[in-house]
Amino acid sequence: MAADSLAQVKMGTEALALCIAGVLCERDPSLLPAFRESVEVLYHVLDDRGDHEASAMVAAFGRALVDPGFKRPSA
């Protein structure tokens, strides 16, 4: 598979994970602290391992979970 295709698959998978986490947190806000803690742990693991690209994506994912700009508008 070409590098461009792999990057697109990776980005699509991350977007899907963000959507799932966002919906779960909307339905049950008590899940948000657990998601944030897991994201922080994963960030540190990846950063300590030297995978800075992946740790940056995880950090962006964590910010998106709590950023009101990413929340779906009320109907």
Side-chain angles (χ1 to χ4, degrees), residues 36-64:
R36 290 170 66 188
E37 184 179 335
S38 296
V39 165
E40 187 173 335
V41 168
L42 182 58
Y43 169 82
H44 288 297
V45 167
L46 292 170
D47 197 50
D48 291 346
R49 193 168 69 183
D51 194 346
H52 301 295
E53 179 182 321
S55 65
M57 284 188 269
V58 169
F61 177 83
R63 285 190 303 273

Side-chain angles (χ1 to χ4, degrees), residues 13-44:
T13 303
E14 291 162 358
L16 182 60
L18 178 59
C19 289
I20 291 169
V23 168
L24 289 173
C25 288
E26 278 180 11
R27 295 192 186 266
D28 186 357
S30 69
L31 295 173
L32 187 56
F35 272 116
R36 290 170 66 188
E37 184 179 335
S38 296
V39 165
E40 187 173 335
V41 168
L42 182 58
Y43 169 82
H44 288 297

